């Protein structure tokens, strides 16, 4: 996941860095977090939700779309591309 940007193209975007940092923008607001993988899931540590317990998703590619799923339901869906160098 590191080195990629995922976005729905309008409302939200996520930059996943190789050093496990996460930058999220939602409706014009930017927040930091961290990402990891656990038990074949993508886990996001979001400080405004919890500083110790990550939120985890199954991630599935369907055609060009990347879907974040929780208990089989799609929570987020967007496209993925390489992040610009920073």
């Amino acid at each position: 996941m590191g080195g990629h940007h995922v976005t729905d193209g309008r409302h939200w975007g996520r930059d996943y860095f190789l050093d496990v940092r996460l930058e999220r923008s939602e409706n014009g607001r930017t927040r930091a977090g961290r990402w990891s993988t656990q038990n074949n899931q993508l886990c996001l540590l979001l400080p405004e939700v919890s500083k110790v317990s990550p939120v985890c998703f199954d991630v599935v590619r369907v055609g060009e779309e990347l879907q974040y799923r929780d208990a089989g339901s799609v929570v987020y869906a967007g496209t993925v591309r390489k992040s610009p160098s920073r």
Side-chain angles (χ1 to χ4, degrees), residues 5 11-15 17 21-33 46-48 86:
H5 178 78
H11 304 103
W12 62 269
R14 292 186 172 87
D15 285 301
F17 296 94
R21 286 180 304 118
L22 170 65
E23 286 184 5
R24 303 169 294 132
S25 59
E26 296 178 15
N27 298 317
R29 187 173 183 176
T30 301
R31 293 183 173 162
L46 311 173
E48 69 277 7
R86 290 193 198 186

Side-chain angles (χ1 to χ4, degrees), residues 27-65:
N27 298 317
R29 187 173 183 176
T30 301
R31 293 183 173 162
R34 300 189 69 72
W35 68 272
S36 64
T37 57
Q38 298 174 17
N39 300 318
N40 292 320
Q41 290 187 309
L42 174 64
C43 298
L44 308 178
L45 188 57
L46 311 173
E48 69 277 7
V49 175
S50 172
K51 295 188 187 304
V52 294
S53 298
V55 178
C56 297
F57 302 96
D58 293 311
V59 178
V60 179
R61 185 181 287 269
V62 178
E64 293 296 314
E65 188 174 76

